[in-house]
Amino acid sequence: MSTPYPFTAIVGQDDLRLGLLLNAVSPAVGGVLVRGEKGTAKSTAVRALAALMPEVPVVPGCRFSCDPVSPDPGCPDGPHAEAAGVSRPARTVELPVGASEDRLVGALDIERALSEGVKAFEPGLLADAHRGILYVDEVNLLHDHLVDLLLDAAAMGASYVEREGVSVRHAARFLLVGTMNPEEGELRPQLLDRFGLTVEVSASRDTDERVEVVRRRLAYDDDPEGFAARWTEEEGALRERIAAARVLLPRVVLSDGVLRQIAATCAAFEVDGMRADIVMARTATALAAWAGREEVTADDVRQAALLALPHRRRRNPFDAPGLDEDKLDQTLDEAGPPENSDGDDQPDPDGGGDDDGGGGGGGGVPPQADGEDRTPPQGSEGDSPSPAPEGAPDTPGRPAGGEQQPVAAAEPFRTKMLSVPGLGEGAAGRRSRARTEHGRTTGARRPEGALTKLHLAATVQAAAPHQRARGRAGRGLVVRRDDLRQATREGREGNLVLFVVDASGSMAARQRMSAVKGAVLSLLLDAYQRRDKVGLVTFRGKEAEVALPPTSSVDAAAARLESLPTGGRTPLAAGLLKAHDVLRVERLRDPSRRPLLVVVTDGRATGGPEPVALAGRAGRLHRSEGTASVVVDCESGYVRLGLAGELARELGGTAVTLDELRADSIAGLVKDVTAAGRAA
């Protein structure tokens, strides 16, 4: 087994270390979600934490790590007779992004359950992680149903496996740690809420600190054992501090004044539900125990809010996580400081660590998620330069070549659901019909590999004709492997929604472009909720460009859209051909994910020889490859040329106006995109 990087050797990342240590002191805090860019020691810190956790006493031979003092009465390996326990180190169990449901929760032998009536159960990762750490790297890339199972087990402290009326339950209490890069997509708000704490991490911009990071990493790579040995004393001291805080934790007093501050803070920041209040209370208690105190102070409450609330305030993927610290301080003051908070026994803000992050292993520096520059974005209403008269020379306030400054998007709205026709087999999502592991049962088939969803009626029907030949004598049904049938299910899949946005001069009128951006933002929000990948192609002037390659991060697409300039000619054909190139590459990367092409334009085509004919040929190219498409018609005014409708016919798709895109319009609730070729 490789030697893990010492926790106390991590440079900086105070909030990350503090969040992990608070969960080590009090697992009831509910775990921690670590958000940040790649290469910021997220995984290193999590894997290093296990070495600091106290050893775990277990029942010998129990696959579910039962405590010998109070074994789980429902343990599948039980009941356990009284016996001396054995101690083992706390485990860190990693959940791979591509894990199956059976790998996570365990698998039940259906054949033995039906024929013998026994519960032959093979434990999964949740059983392995019991009384340890369950680490999910890139938790935002896990399928939704796996995240649901994972977080339900974390909340209930138990895992349930159900197979056609046969069930197995076992204890599953663990410290849940998830890491993610927000650029690759967000978790749903209701899933974010299930993590107790969240911390934002980023690479240091301090030269000396970066040098120290590189120096230590190179030393570790050259000699892991020798490097770890140099930090043995610091690791031992931190391990003892965690153990002492655990002993002190039950004696920490949470006064009524502190509870009032916690409740007032959660109410002021309008967090949903009561989980935030409970997590804040547990976090503040853990902070006091970590500092060696038996009473919670106002500073504990403030730090707990900075760790427990930022991710609970997001309402959509375009909201930046973070808290207004001035508002937080004002709320704490108005709620009244607790009587014991006199400022004389405040915790060490550095958590006992030294300047380079190697000594104490614990931060305490409040995250500055709300401290970014609040200067209004360039091009927002009120600060944009007035259009210059036609033919006027370029000025510093007005870009050259007829280009106009970006305009702010109109308020997003709820859109109709645009879906790809047919039955797909793509990634789990909420847009188009697909064959999935979860959903309504539509039939049965022979299993390919391990049986996961039994179709009971089909299995009995397959076994019934062979009962006499198999010598059936009693009431039980003689079932063999060949009789088992897998249920086929139909649910919803996520698609690749590729936006092709016209940013030419014909779209540049301020009011129209603001409405167009609002519509695209609305579609992006819909794509986020339906778990799609999104991409963005824009065209203007003489060419088209890929503003954002396909990604799961819709907030990145929103940022690109917000800064989109407009002006120039309308190279519609170039935009469609660029989209074709993007889809061709994505079909190779992810062939099971079906695309949906959304072209946002007024249908005009200018620039170059025969621009209209070229656009028509580009549209027919998409149609020939079966790409489902929809054209959002942005034409306005009393006189309409109907060019967007013509483009939709060339694409073999459907045209909708901006007004028809709204879910509350009179045109209907759901609009299916016409499949390429069906319109022919």
Side-chain angles (χ1 to χ4, degrees):
M1 182 177 179
S2 61
T3 303
Y5 192 92
F7 190 89
T8 49
I10 296 172
V11 179
Q13 304 297 8
D14 295 334
D15 295 313
L16 169 60
R17 291 184 290 130
L18 179 62
L20 293 172
L21 289 170
L22 291 178
N23 275 274
V25 170
S26 176
V29 166
V32 58
L33 176 65
V34 186
R35 297 163 46 94
E37 58 197 33
K38 52 187 175 293
T40 49
K42 300 189 297 293
S43 300
T44 299
V46 175
R47 295 187 178 104
L49 181 66
L52 303 175
M53 303 286 284
E55 288 195 338
V56 179
V58 297
V59 173
C62 178
R63 298 175 297 167
F64 301 87
S65 301
C66 279
D67 188 343
V69 176
S70 56
D72 179 11
C75 176
D77 284 356
H80 297 296
E82 292 186 7
V86 296
S87 294
R88 62 161 176 79
R91 292 173 179 163
T92 296
V93 176
E94 296 192 30
L95 173 60
V97 170
S100 65
E101 180 179 339
D102 284 347
R103 184 72 186 98
L104 176 63
V105 300
L108 191 66
D109 190 329
I110 301 297
E111 184 176 358
R112 292 190 63 191
L114 288 176
S115 59
E116 302 176 30
V118 298
K119 298 179 181 179
F121 182 69
E122 184 66 28
L125 294 176
L126 292 180
D128 293 341
H130 180 45
R131 304 175 69 198
I133 301 171
L134 182 61
Y135 172 45
V136 189
D137 192 15
E138 306 295 352
V139 64
N140 52 322
L141 302 183
L142 276 180
H143 285 178
D144 284 353
H145 72 282
L146 291 182
V147 178
D148 291 337
L149 291 170
L150 172 66
L151 296 179
D152 283 345
M156 297 185 296
S159 175
Y160 295 85
V161 181
E162 302 284 345
R163 293 288 189 275
E164 300 295 338
V166 181
S167 64
V168 172
R169 173 209 167 275
H170 65 82
R173 292 183 295 275
F174 46 80
L175 195 166
L176 177 63
V177 181
T179 58
M180 60 176 285
N181 184 346
E183 293 180 357
E184 297 173 341
E186 288 285 354
L187 281 173
R188 305 195 312 266
Q190 59 268 41
L191 299 184
L192 282 171
D193 185 54
R194 301 299 288 270
F195 283 94
L197 310 179
T198 185
V199 293
E200 298 278 341
V201 296
S202 60
S204 173
R205 298 297 182 260
D206 180 81
T207 302
D208 293 338
E209 192 167 288
R210 295 175 75 97
V211 167
E212 185 63 22
V213 170
V214 175
R215 181 183 292 117
R216 293 188 186 184
R217 186 70 209 192
L218 293 177
Y220 170 77
D221 291 341
D222 289 341
D223 182 11
E225 291 80 8
F227 182 83
R230 294 199 293 272
W231 294 89
T232 301
E233 184 177 345
E234 289 83 353
E235 292 281 290
L238 189 56
R239 192 178 297 109
E240 292 176 1
R241 185 176 177 186
I242 292 173
R246 283 190 167 195
V247 172
L248 180 61
L249 185 66
R251 303 201 301 270
V252 175
V253 176
L254 195 67
S255 67
D256 289 342
V258 166
L259 285 174
R260 180 170 294 276
Q261 284 188 312
I262 291 172
T265 301
C266 293
F269 285 100
E270 300 179 351
V271 296
D272 296 332
M274 296 297 298
R275 185 174 285 118
D277 304 63
I278 297 171
V279 171
M280 271 191 65
R282 290 171 173 167
T283 304
T285 303
L287 280 163
W290 177 245
R293 290 181 278 100
E294 295 188 6
E295 293 183 341
V296 177
T297 68
D299 279 357
D300 294 331
V301 176
R302 186 181 193 279
Q303 181 68 73
L306 292 170
L307 292 171
L309 297 188
H311 60 302
R312 293 186 164 89
R313 298 192 61 245
R314 302 192 73 186
R315 295 296 183 265
N316 64 60
F318 312 135
D319 294 338
L323 293 182
D324 184 337
E325 295 193 37
D326 292 336
K327 180 179 179 180
L328 174 60
D329 292 335
Q330 181 181 354
T331 301
L332 293 174
D333 290 341
E334 290 175 353
E339 295 178 359
N340 63 296
S341 181
D342 56 11
D344 294 331
D345 56 353
Q346 302 303 323
D348 180 1
D350 293 328
D354 55 20
D355 292 339
D356 62 10
V365 180
Q368 302 296 324
D370 198 54
E372 62 268 33
D373 184 12
R374 299 184 181 276
T375 304
Q378 188 179 31
S380 61
E381 299 290 347
D383 66 353
S384 297
S386 301
E390 185 176 354
D394 296 331
T395 63
R398 185 173 187 267
E403 181 179 299
Q404 297 187 17
Q405 295 282 11
V407 299
E411 188 70 21
F413 52 85
R414 190 167 65 90
T415 68
K416 295 175 184 175
M417 186 178 76
L418 306 174
S419 61
V420 178
L423 195 63
E425 295 181 345
R430 299 181 176 182
R431 184 172 296 279
S432 305
R433 294 173 54 230
R435 286 180 286 268
T436 61
E437 288 295 320
H438 299 270
R440 64 185 183 90
T441 301
T442 58
R445 61 176 173 81
R446 291 182 181 274
E448 299 174 2
L451 179 71
T452 56
K453 300 291 182 182
L454 177 73
H455 194 296
L456 183 58
T459 299
V460 172
Q461 187 177 13
H466 307 290
Q467 295 305 295
R468 181 176 298 178
R470 293 173 183 173
R472 173 184 170 185
R475 299 179 60 184
L477 188 68
V478 181
V479 179
R480 294 181 179 172
R481 177 69 185 176
D482 290 342
D483 301 326
L484 300 178
R485 294 294 182 268
Q486 175 86 20
T488 58
R489 301 181 179 233
E490 182 179 311
R492 292 281 174 176
E493 68 177 359
N495 298 110
L496 166 59
V497 183
L498 181 61
F499 294 93
V500 182
V501 180
D502 185 348
S504 65
S506 65
M507 299 280 289
R510 180 172 300 278
Q511 186 175 2
R512 186 195 297 189
M513 200 60 201
S514 177
V516 168
K517 286 188 175 183
V520 178
L521 281 176
S522 303
L523 290 167
L524 284 171
L525 181 57
D526 181 70
Y528 164 75
Q529 294 168 341
R530 300 191 188 283
R531 314 305 289 170
D532 296 316
K533 290 180 69 175
V534 296
L536 178 63
V537 172
T538 64
F539 58 94
R540 51 183 288 273
K542 297 181 179 180
E543 60 184 13
E545 65 173 347
V546 180
L548 183 72
T551 176
S552 296
S553 178
V554 297
D555 50 345
R560 299 289 197 282
L561 182 72
E562 192 70 23
S563 60
L564 177 66
T566 57
R569 295 184 179 274
T570 311
L572 177 57
L576 295 175
L577 292 175
K578 182 68 73 174
H580 179 267
D581 291 341
V582 172
L583 294 180
R584 178 177 55 82
V585 173
E586 285 302 308
R587 285 190 180 99
L588 297 175
R589 290 178 176 172
D590 192 358
S592 63
R593 189 182 290 269
R594 298 186 295 164
L596 172 60
L597 183 68
V598 179
V599 185
V600 184
T601 181
D602 57 9
R604 297 175 185 269
T606 60
E610 300 182 344
V612 176
L614 285 175
R617 286 199 292 270
R620 291 191 293 275
L621 179 61
H622 283 282
R623 180 176 184 172
S624 68
E625 296 188 353
T627 302
S629 59
V630 60
V631 178
V632 180
D633 185 357
C634 302
E635 191 174 22
S636 61
Y638 293 106
V639 179
R640 295 177 179 266
L641 302 178
L643 299 176
E646 291 290 339
L647 176 62
R649 282 188 285 276
E650 296 286 9
L651 287 165
T654 304
V656 296
T657 66
L658 288 175
D659 289 337
E660 291 173 342
L661 193 61
R662 293 179 178 271
D664 55 359
S665 73
I666 61 174
L669 295 178
V670 177
K671 193 172 188 68
D672 289 328
V673 179
T674 304
R678 283 193 178 184

